[in-house]
Amino acid sequence: MNILIMGPAGSGKGTMSAKIVDKYQIPHISTGDMFRENISNGTFLGLTAKKYMDQGLLVPDEITIQMVEKRLLKADCRIGYLLDGFPRTLAQAKALDEITKNIGRPVESVINLTIDFDQLAQRITGRRLCKGCDSIYHIKNNPSKVSNICDVCGSQLYQRSDDTVEQLTVRIEEYERSTKLVLEYFSSEGLVFDVNASQAMNDVFNDIDKALVKI
Ligand code: AP5
Ligand code: MG
């Protein structure tokens, strides 16, 4: 199964990716998570990406494409992949076409999470993440059983530094400016499946699964 999940900041890409991976056991490749891991490991890539991420801006294509290509060439992707947050520009989409053709795993479906932007601020400002296993919580919509402690691994929860209303505005502008073109690109190939992401989490996943069972 070779799939992409797209949608604006806070639409639920990470939350739905966890459910998809749970059911279909394919590698989850989130460029945002990869950059954050590099930042916490203090790598050169992380230091470079941080300058852009802290402002809500996209990391340059060259860096992002190289990182994803390296990841897709790993052995676990021979059974497929779920890309979350990539591609976000037309150049990334075209590069992905080349890479996936070379590994014999062209994109089969693009799940597009649609949501009104006024719901995103509530989701982003209430989000909490696990330091240990990256599980995603929300202080109201999906709280952990013990405040600030992960249900899965017991590690502390934290708030992402770009989860402010100011940075969300920039991230949404970036989405409107660049990522909408990517959706048009995949729509012209008939690959895009729109899902209403304003619904309860299980309903969103059920709708996604209707597209996935056809693959
Ligand atoms: P990235 O980490 O991808 O962030 P994003 O796209 O802004 O999306 P988020 O991770 O914020 O939201 P999500 O859709 O995953 O929502 P979640 O499931 O967590 O990218 C960060 C940065 O990295 C970018 O700004 C850029 O700088 C850089 N970057 C990454 N990829 C790049 C690329 N390809 N090119 C260049 N730069 C790149 O859910 C959010 C909250 O809502 C959670 O609290 C959750 O519990 C809650 N929630 C989820 N679903 C529901 C529901 N159905 N009902 C109620 N609550 C829900
Ligand atoms: Mg995410």
Side-chain angles (χ1 to χ4, degrees), residues 113-192:
L113 299 180
T114 64
I115 186 164
D116 288 340
F117 285 152
D118 52 11
Q119 287 189 43
L120 299 176
Q122 186 266 2
R123 287 196 183 179
I124 285 292
T125 52
R127 171 166 57 190
R128 298 292 182 271
L129 294 154
C130 173
K131 279 185 181 160
C133 68
D134 294 330
S135 290
I136 305 169
Y137 297 90
H138 189 282
I139 49 172
K140 288 203 183 102
N141 309 348
N142 182 30
S144 56
K145 289 186 187 108
V146 178
S147 172
N148 275 319
I149 300 292
C150 178
D151 296 347
V152 181
C153 74
S155 302
Q156 283 254 311
L157 305 187
Y158 75 100
Q159 222 177 339
R160 258 169 60 176
S161 59
D162 59 346
D163 276 354
T164 62
V165 174
E166 293 74 31
Q167 272 143 326
L168 174 64
T169 310
V170 182
R171 280 151 73 194
I172 288 172
E173 279 166 10
E174 284 284 67
Y175 180 80
E176 286 286 316
R177 196 168 55 84
S178 303
T179 313
K180 283 264 166 99
L181 296 172
V182 177
L183 277 174
E184 283 167 22
Y185 178 80
F186 287 114
S187 289
S188 69
E189 295 179 10
L191 295 176
V192 177

Side-chain angles (χ1 to χ4, degrees), residues 7-16 30-33 35-36 49 52-53 56-61 64 84-89 92 113 122-124 126-129 136-138 141-142 160 162-163 171 197-201 204:
S11 57
K13 300 182 294 295
T15 303
M16 290 305 135
S30 154
T31 39
D33 287 351
F35 286 136
R36 280 184 288 278
Y52 298 91
M53 291 171 78
L57 298 171
L58 293 180
V59 178
D61 283 337
T64 311
D84 159 1
F86 182 94
R88 271 165 138 115
T89 65
Q92 291 180 13
L113 299 180
Q122 186 266 2
R123 287 196 183 179
I124 285 292
R127 171 166 57 190
R128 298 292 182 271
L129 294 154
I136 305 169
Y137 297 90
H138 189 282
N141 309 348
N142 182 30
R160 258 169 60 176
D162 59 346
D163 276 354
R171 280 151 73 194
S198 316
Q199 309 173 83
M201 289 181 199
V204 179

Side-chain angles (χ1 to χ4, degrees), residues 57-104:
L57 298 171
L58 293 180
V59 178
D61 283 337
E62 202 185 275
I63 299 171
T64 311
I65 291 168
Q66 260 183 33
M67 179 178 78
V68 171
E69 180 168 27
K70 216 167 135 194
R71 180 65 189 85
L72 282 170
L73 289 173
K74 289 200 172 164
D76 61 340
C77 294
R78 283 190 202 135
I79 57 159
Y81 52 82
L82 164 61
L83 274 166
D84 159 1
F86 182 94
R88 271 165 138 115
T89 65
L90 215 45
Q92 291 180 13
K94 289 180 180 167
L96 180 66
D97 264 353
E98 275 303 305
I99 299 165
T100 54
K101 252 183 237 151
N102 290 342
I103 61 168

